[in-house]
């Protein structure tokens, strides 16, 4: 039997709506469509909370979210009275670490969530390499590995007797352009989405080259392919709603503190607020957990009525989604176009980012193919990004990452695999 292998490509910032808009065109994205035809398109794939790059990339490779990884971008340490940033923290085991334990050879091309978590710079059998640059440079590295079994990294050549058992490729061009930075600034949402779609076309071409090379080398039929992402993207314009929100809370009789990071300076407050950019994390300065939960339920009913608020989640609801317990007592996500930014905003500027519970950030593109996986199949049930690696580890006969809480998506398997 031929050895099964995996190529996992993460296209940072690949909201499902970009694909839905483009794929309506008959000629568009022929290679992503080829992957979808060969395997499964997840129509209802969702990311975790908060939908921010490091927590979500970390979550995918560990098959669990911040209740296990500890990485939720920022949280309030009640004892220290400090907003803590989680940086690259990951307390959970990654798929890179299980592969290393099993002595399997793999390569991470800039999938940074594996760096020091299974993958190591300069170590051939579990190489971490960071070529930088755009998708063309990173795909070229993968293509050379497929065609010549070689990785060239800053002057060092790593040779492989055969294609590694797993390759992880991280590409962030959709995210960079999607954020609408000055070098490709679009003054309308339509133009911003257009910019992202043009990049996606370029990436699709590279995927085509990858498929051709895999076919030429006879690797295509035994290869598992995963194409997914960490979050989508949403734009906003005009003033931050943080001021309005503080006014509302003060009118209801609360003393409100705001802290971006570090020590909370204000003394004697009832409510603490922080924000990544769009959504607002709220903490109640109340030691009793029961009392806190009760007050938050009551507050939720009031906050949801504010005109600029779309979704409010309690700590309990967040915990059910696998979010770290100290992430927030209430998470408040605004309507599209609004934000709870902590920074002064240029009123005319079109901003775009992704820490929001809005569908444009949460609903993501995901497709998977490989031996034993159904082909030309649409999966319509709700799946989360944390389910993907556990499912693939199951298919490939690999050890599961120790802390994984993701489900095995058995409905996408052909009958013989399900058994
Ligand atoms: Zn990202």
């Amino acid at each position: 039997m031929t050895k099964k292998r995996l190529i996992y490509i993460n296209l940072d910032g690949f909201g499902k709506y970009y694909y839905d808009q483009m794929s309506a065109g008959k000629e568009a994205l022929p290679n992503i469509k080829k992957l979808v035809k060969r395997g499964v398109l997840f129509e209802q794939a969702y990311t975790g909370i908060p939908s921010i790059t490091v927590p979500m990339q970390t979550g995918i490779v560990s098959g669990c979210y911040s209740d296990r990884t500890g990485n939720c971008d920022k949280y309030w340490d009640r004892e220290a009275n400090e907003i803590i940033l989680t940086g690259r923290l990951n307390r959970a085991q990654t798929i890179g670490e299980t592969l290393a334990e099993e002595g399997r050879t793999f390569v991470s091309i800039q999938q940074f969530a594996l760096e020091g978590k299974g993958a190591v710079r300069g170590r051939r059998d579990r190489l971490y390499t960071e070529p930088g640059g755009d998708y063309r440079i990173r795909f070229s590295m993968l293509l050379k590995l497929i065609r010549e079994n070689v990785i060239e990294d800053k002057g060092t050549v790593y040779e492989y007797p055969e294609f590694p058992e797993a390759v992880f490729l991280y590409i962030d061009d959709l995210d960079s352009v999607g954020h609408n930075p000055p070098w490709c600034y679009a003054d309308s949402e339509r133009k911003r989405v257009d910019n992202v779609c043009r990049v996606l076309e370029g990436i699709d071409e590279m995927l085509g080259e990858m498929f051709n090379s895999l076919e030429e080398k006879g690797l295509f039929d035994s290869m598992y392919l995963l194409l997914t992402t960490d979050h989508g993207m949403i734009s906003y314009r005009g003033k931050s709603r943080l001021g309005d929100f503080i006014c509302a809370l003060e009118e209801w009789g609360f003393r409100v503190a705001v802290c971006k990071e570090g020590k909370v300076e204000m003394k004697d407050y009832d409510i603490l607020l922080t924000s990544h950019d769009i959504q607002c994390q709220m903490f109640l300065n109340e030691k009793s957990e029961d009392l806190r939960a009760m007050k938050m339920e009551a507050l939720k009913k009031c906050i949801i009525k504010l005109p600029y608020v779309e979704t409010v989640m309690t700590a309990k609801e967040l915990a059910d989604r696998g979010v770290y317990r100290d992430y927030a007592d209430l998470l408040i996500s605004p309507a599209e176009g609004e934000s709870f930014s902590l920074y002064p905003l240029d009123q005319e500027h079109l901003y775009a980012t992704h820490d929001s519970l809005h569908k444009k950030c949460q609903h993501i593109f995901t497709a998977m193919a490989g031996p034993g996986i159904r082909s030309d199949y649409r999966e319509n049930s709700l799946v989360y990004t944390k389910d993907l690696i556990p499912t693939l580890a199951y298919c490939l006969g690999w050890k599961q990452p120790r802390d994984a809480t993701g489900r095995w998506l058995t409905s996408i398997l052909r009958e013989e695999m399900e058994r």
Side-chain angles (χ1 to χ4, degrees):
M1 212 173 102
T2 30
K3 199 188 254 176
K4 295 175 183 176
R5 296 178 167 91
L6 168 68
I7 296 177
Y8 158 33
I9 301 174
N10 192 294
L11 299 179
D12 192 315
F14 192 2
K16 178 74 158 46
Y17 68 98
Y18 296 135
Y19 177 75
D20 290 341
Q21 180 174 322
M22 280 190 87
S23 64
K26 250 199 152 79
E27 311 289 313
L29 305 178
N31 297 300
I32 294 181
K33 283 179 182 163
K34 183 175 175 176
L35 171 65
V36 164
K37 181 107 181 137
R38 191 179 177 81
V40 177
L41 175 67
F42 293 90
E43 292 284 5
Q44 298 299 329
Y46 278 76
T47 193
I49 301 167
S51 45
I52 295 177
T53 301
V54 179
M56 293 301 106
Q57 295 287 348
T58 299
I60 294 171
V61 295
S62 292
C64 56
Y65 294 134
S66 57
D67 54 356
R68 300 288 180 100
T69 65
N71 198 314
C72 56
D73 189 60
K74 63 194 324 195
Y75 66 93
W76 183 39
D77 182 329
R78 277 174 205 273
E79 294 299 308
N81 194 23
E82 228 175 289
I83 297 287
I84 310 280
L85 305 185
T86 56
R88 288 272 177 100
L89 172 73
N90 185 2
R91 294 195 187 101
Q93 189 179 41
T94 71
I95 191 67
E97 289 170 311
T98 59
L99 290 171
E101 269 181 18
E102 294 187 305
R104 301 183 194 274
T105 299
F106 69 95
V107 169
S108 170
I109 303 174
Q110 209 144 345
Q111 178 41 268
F112 59 87
L114 297 179
E115 189 191 2
K117 292 289 287 177
V120 181
R121 287 183 199 241
R123 183 166 168 167
R124 192 195 62 91
D125 61 340
R126 35 188 169 121
L127 183 67
Y128 179 75
T129 162
E130 203 167 275
D134 71 3
Y135 66 89
R136 294 177 195 88
I137 291 170
R138 299 183 203 176
F139 262 109
S140 305
M141 210 173 222
L142 172 60
L143 291 174
K144 198 175 169 76
L145 182 59
I146 297 169
R147 291 166 185 160
E148 301 169 35
N149 286 326
V150 158
I151 291 259
E152 256 183 55
D153 185 25
K154 298 178 181 82
T156 309
V157 179
Y158 300 91
E159 287 183 57
Y160 295 84
E162 56 180 30
F163 192 78
E165 289 195 59
V167 175
F168 302 85
L169 172 62
Y170 171 73
I171 304 272
D172 53 357
D173 304 69
L174 296 180
D175 180 74
S176 320
V177 172
H179 275 295
N180 206 19
W183 61 270
C184 62
Y185 182 72
D187 58 9
S188 73
E189 173 64 0
R190 190 189 55 76
K191 288 185 203 163
R192 186 193 68 78
V193 171
D194 266 1
N195 285 345
V196 175
C197 292
R198 296 295 80 75
V199 180
L200 192 51
E201 282 171 350
I203 291 172
D204 187 82
E205 275 180 41
M206 296 307 284
L207 281 170
E209 282 199 44
M210 182 185 85
F211 293 152
N212 291 341
S213 298
L214 288 173
E215 267 164 7
E216 278 164 27
K217 288 288 172 184
L219 288 166
F220 204 23
D221 291 336
S222 55
M223 191 66 73
Y224 284 88
L225 295 162
L226 169 63
L227 187 62
T228 188
T229 185
D230 48 358
H231 52 73
M233 189 74 70
I234 196 165
S235 63
Y236 56 101
R237 205 193 302 253
K239 70 168 186 154
S240 165
R241 290 295 184 173
L242 194 67
D244 293 344
F245 188 45
I246 293 169
C247 280
L249 292 169
E250 285 175 345
E251 265 176 40
W252 298 336
F254 297 102
R255 294 165 300 171
V256 182
V258 177
C259 179
K260 188 156 75 74
E261 62 174 277
K263 207 85 187 152
V264 181
E265 277 165 33
M266 188 173 156
K267 295 209 167 37
D268 303 326
Y269 56 86
D270 308 304
I271 282 174
L272 171 65
L273 303 178
T274 192
S275 163
H276 315 279
D277 278 310
I278 296 182
Q279 67 198 18
C280 180
Q281 288 157 263
M282 181 194 253
F283 307 92
L284 201 63
N285 198 3
E286 164 61 65
K287 287 221 161 59
S288 153
E289 272 187 48
D290 291 346
L291 218 53
R292 203 157 75 217
M294 241 166 60
K295 287 184 179 175
M296 283 297 161
E297 286 293 344
L299 264 168
K300 178 180 173 172
K301 293 194 177 84
C302 303
I303 294 169
I304 196 69
K305 290 187 188 131
L306 295 170
Y308 44 86
V309 170
E310 184 174 80
T311 311
V312 181
M313 289 180 83
T314 62
K316 165 85 176 57
E317 290 166 321
L318 290 165
D320 291 344
R321 287 285 307 273
V323 182
Y324 181 56
R325 66 187 155 78
D326 289 338
Y327 175 67
D329 289 321
L330 280 185
L331 179 63
I332 300 122
S333 187
E336 181 167 8
E338 306 280 7
S339 80
F340 291 107
S341 177
L342 296 169
Y343 304 94
L345 301 177
D346 171 352
Q347 302 295 291
E348 298 306 312
H349 192 90
L350 185 73
Y351 297 91
T353 192
H354 42 74
D355 62 298
S356 162
L357 297 174
H358 192 279
K359 204 174 172 190
K360 283 191 169 176
C361 298
Q362 293 282 310
H363 189 199
I364 51 153
F365 178 87
T366 299
M368 193 191 280
I373 292 179
R374 290 174 193 245
S375 29
D376 202 8
Y377 180 71
R378 306 278 160 130
E379 177 56 64
N380 289 308
S381 71
L382 176 67
V383 309
Y384 289 109
T385 50
K386 68 172 183 174
D387 303 331
L388 302 169
I389 287 293
T391 299
L392 283 163
Y394 170 77
C395 291
L396 283 142
W398 296 343
K399 203 174 140 190
Q400 293 287 329
R402 185 187 59 221
D403 308 283
T405 56
R407 296 182 302 127
W408 294 353
L409 305 171
T410 48
S411 61
I412 65 165
L413 304 180
R414 293 202 198 110
E415 276 167 31
E416 68 270 19
M417 276 287 276
E418 258 183 276
R419 281 202 302 273

